[in-house]
Amino acid sequence: MTRIQPIDHDGAANIPLLADIRHELGFVPMLMRLLAHSPAALGGFLALRGALKRGVLPAALRERIAIAIAAMNDCDCCLANHTQFARGIGLADSELYAATQAESRDPQAAAALGFVRDLVATRGHVDAAALGALRDAGFGEAAIVEIVAVVATNIFANLVNNLAQSAPNVCPVVPPPAVIAS
């Protein structure tokens, strides 16, 4: 049982923002049902999430970042949901597992995930070399700022779900490395 009770499904139907989420995803994630206790928090989260979807970062990179952050923060709820979303846009299980390690076979995604790992570890005080490596991988100023915003929104989601001790909405996550290697 969660430590913060989510808005129940009947109550969720009465909150227009949650109805929009249900229409978009086919369900209302636990996080949204928790945030619905504060319309300000829910509205702010959804506004930033929506703006980032229209930004310069592709969905596959945003999902890899979400998976990396969820793994760093031990947020099983976010990890399960973002794994499902990433599968839905075509990321292979090997890439999903790699994202849990802040890695990727794709050089540009690997550079971004390495930067994300450094960003979190240094609380934003990354050195010039880390920022230079991100730029060398083809990320401009807009992308760099959006990477930070994606990290921040996902850390926020992880904190809320971890505080509430939320259970995942969808089936478990990423196969263990032994399965991927075969």
Side-chain angles (χ1 to χ4, degrees):
M1 178 170 278
T2 63
R3 296 192 306 178
I4 298 173
Q5 293 306 307
I7 299 292
D8 66 20
H9 289 284
D10 292 335
N14 295 323
I15 299 172
L17 290 174
L18 295 182
D20 293 344
I21 290 294
R22 183 185 308 280
H23 178 72
E24 176 188 347
L25 301 177
F27 71 104
V28 179
M30 179 65 71
L31 174 67
M32 306 310 171
R33 294 175 51 217
L34 293 166
L35 291 178
H37 287 290
S38 169
L42 177 61
F45 180 82
L46 292 176
L48 183 54
R49 176 183 165 271
L52 291 170
K53 285 175 145 184
R54 297 183 303 276
V56 299
L57 298 180
L61 181 56
R62 291 192 317 269
E63 291 305 329
R64 282 179 172 110
I65 293 169
I67 290 167
I69 295 298
M72 286 179 212
N73 290 319
D74 296 321
C75 184
D76 292 338
C77 190
C78 290
L79 186 57
N81 286 334
H82 286 287
T83 295
Q84 187 71 19
F85 299 151
R87 281 187 179 124
I89 59 172
L91 284 174
D93 280 352
S94 60
E95 276 299 304
L96 301 179
Y97 179 77
T100 66
Q101 308 301 302
E103 297 173 356
S104 175
R105 289 184 185 167
D106 174 80
Q108 192 174 41
L113 292 170
F115 177 78
V116 163
R117 184 182 48 243
D118 291 347
L119 182 72
V120 172
T122 65
R123 295 179 183 91
H125 296 280
V126 297
D127 60 26
L131 190 55
L134 189 61
R135 286 187 172 121
D136 290 346
F139 291 94
E141 305 304 311
I144 293 168
V145 170
E146 287 183 22
I147 288 170
V148 175
V150 171
V151 167
T153 58
N154 282 282
I155 288 174
F156 173 68
N158 297 168
L159 291 173
V160 171
N161 276 320
N162 285 344
L163 173 66
Q165 295 180 340
S166 300
N169 296 98
V170 295
C171 293
V173 262
V174 181
V179 173
I180 292 170
S182 56

